[in-house]
Amino acid sequence: MSLRNSIRTPLGWIARALLLAISIPCATACYDSQFGTPQPEESQEPATELIAHIRKIFTGTPATIPDDITVKGLVTTSDRAGNFYRTLCIEQDGAALEILAGIDQLHNDFPIGCRVTVHLGGLTLAERLGVLQVGNRPDAGSGYEVDYLGSRAALDRVIARCSEKLEDPVPASLTIPELTAERCGTLVRITGLLHQPEISGNRQWSGYRCFVDQEGNRIYTYVRTYADFADEEIPEQTVSLTGILQYDASGNGRFLLKLRDEGDCVY
């Protein structure tokens, strides 16, 4: 079943009607530089679908999204520390979406904890590392399933802040056995973890790093080489980790936590 036909099923229309009844006002313009100053006007523009519903009907094949589809969500990531590069994740009721913005300094306009509306019409929907992504249709032969929006103007057509108020995202507190593919893209916290170097003496964050719980279950973190904290040392004691959940299906498969900054490791 195609994305368009799935969204237009009776279930989709029922969900849409409910959303129209309970929608939260959302500004039509992106956040400007006067942070903390209430927007003079806010529209009643509703979301037309839930992120969870879009994830449920996604077949795994890249698809073009119908013109009238919009979603709302809370921003859970920041590119300030460099581990998220030109993308931002939003979350709503345990389901997430990653917007491939393609521009820098996203944290200035869309800081962690702001609510946004995303206009998905005409964009391409795909999945990478278990995370649902939206962006432009890639050029033929590029090898990618979805591409960056690539400009400020393009981003402004897609995403708008709803208000000036910031809300602290609450990560789902889970154990490693409780992790599921449906949670990919959402903010997750796991406690009682100990770093287990796979190469003797390698205790820097850069790359993939293995952590184990008391039962020997494994989870990996991922930190880009260019992240501000890539060269910092991983604590030797038991830690709590928070990050965006991903799933690497290669080999025997493994769950990953992509940290936002060094503060996502607490001991």
Side-chain angles (χ1 to χ4, degrees), residues 4 26 64 131 258:
R4 178 183 295 273
C26 182
T64 301
V131 180
K258 187 173 182 180

Side-chain angles (χ1 to χ4, degrees), residues 27 36-37 61 72 76 80 99 150 173 231 236 242:
T37 303
T61 301
K72 291 181 185 291
T76 57
R80 183 185 295 272
I99 298 102
S173 184
D231 295 332
E236 296 186 15
T242 300

Side-chain angles (χ1 to χ4, degrees), residues 67-211:
D67 289 342
D68 56 349
I69 303 300
T70 61
V71 296
K72 291 181 185 291
L74 187 72
V75 174
T76 57
T77 61
S78 171
D79 59 358
R80 183 185 295 272
N83 205 31
F84 283 84
Y85 181 66
R86 297 184 172 183
T87 75
L88 59 90
C89 291
I90 66 170
E91 185 172 337
Q92 176 195 47
D93 298 331
L97 189 66
E98 184 174 22
I99 298 102
L100 302 190
I103 65 173
D104 298 319
Q105 305 299 316
L106 290 166
H107 62 272
N108 288 330
D109 292 325
F110 305 106
I112 290 177
C114 74
R115 290 196 174 273
V116 296
T117 294
V118 184
H119 297 261
L120 301 178
L123 298 181
T124 295
L125 183 70
E127 184 180 280
R128 181 177 180 275
L129 293 175
V131 180
L132 209 58
Q133 297 181 323
V134 290
N136 282 336
R137 179 185 295 275
D139 294 334
S142 72
Y144 294 97
E145 293 186 333
V146 63
D147 202 357
Y148 290 104
L149 297 174
S151 72
R152 182 84 229 181
L155 184 63
D156 287 345
R157 288 193 293 269
V158 168
I159 185 170
R161 272 192 69 167
C162 294
S163 71
E164 297 297 325
K165 181 181 178 181
L166 298 182
E167 308 170 41
D168 288 334
V170 179
S173 184
L174 300 171
T175 64
I176 296 175
E178 291 175 328
L179 301 177
T180 63
E182 289 73 24
R183 280 229 171 245
C184 284
T186 66
L187 193 63
V188 168
R189 175 177 293 143
I190 304 175
T191 61
L193 297 175
L194 190 65
H195 179 221
Q196 187 176 78
E198 296 184 313
I199 300 175
S200 179
N202 191 344
R203 302 201 63 88
Q204 294 179 324
W205 282 108
S206 180
Y208 295 95
R209 296 293 177 259
C210 179
F211 288 79

Side-chain angles (χ1 to χ4, degrees), residues 27 252 257 262:
N252 295 322
L257 283 180
E262 197 173 2

